[in-house]
Amino acid sequence: MAGRAAPHTSPHADPHTVPAQASQAARSRVPQPRPTDLFADRLLAVLSGQRPVHWMLRHTAGRAYDELARLAEHGPLRATRGTRPVVRDIGYYVAREGAVEAFARIGAGDQVRAMAFRLERGADLRWRCTAVELGGPRAPHPDDD
C-alpha cells in the first residue's frame, strides 16, 4: 500500500476531483422533488401573494390560469397575524398515465386550508397544472351546464 492514499469518502476532500464533477455527483444522489411537491409550492407562492399570477403562465394549461387568477385576486392565503402559510402535507392520486390529482394541506399558525390541483404531462414531457381549487364551494364557470 506504499504510495497510495486512503480512499476519500467526500468528493470535496479529493484533490483530483473537479468541482463540477463533485457537484454533479452530489446532484445525482439528491432525490428530485415530485411534480406534486413543486406545484404545491408554486401555487402557494401565488395564492399567498409571494409571486404574481403571471409567474405560473407557462406552468398552466386550459382554464387553470384563469382559476388561479380568480383565486389569487382575493389573496386567500396571505400571511395572517405574521404567520406565513406553508405546505404541511401533500397527497395524490394517479388518475391515468400522465395525469395526477393532488391535494395539499396549507397551514398558517393554527389555521389549515385545503388546496386541490390537477397536473397533466404534455407531449413535451413537462407537467402543467390544468385545474386548481382552494377549499370551499367551487365557483361556476359559464360553460358548466
Side-chain angles (χ1 to χ4, degrees), residues 13-96:
D14 188 346
H16 303 291
T17 303
V18 195
Q21 291 173 331
S23 63
Q24 183 179 6
R27 276 193 304 258
S28 66
R29 285 180 278 178
V30 175
Q32 296 300 308
R34 295 178 301 219
T36 53
D37 298 347
L38 292 172
F39 275 86
D41 287 338
R42 288 174 181 168
L43 292 168
L44 176 58
V46 170
L47 294 171
S48 65
Q50 297 171 47
R51 293 283 188 162
V53 177
H54 69 265
W55 184 61
M56 286 294 292
L57 190 57
R58 59 179 256 216
H59 301 291
T60 57
R63 290 194 293 206
Y65 183 80
D66 294 333
E67 291 171 3
L68 185 59
R70 184 184 56 76
L71 288 170
E73 184 177 341
H74 303 290
L77 296 178
R78 293 199 189 278
T80 56
R81 293 184 227 134
T83 304
R84 188 178 197 173
V86 295
V87 176
R88 288 192 180 170
D89 187 27
I90 299 173
Y92 64 93
Y93 168 74
V94 178
R96 63 171 170 75

Side-chain angles (χ1 to χ4, degrees), residues 130-141:
T130 58
V132 61
E133 293 181 10
L134 191 60
R138 191 175 136 219
H141 290 280

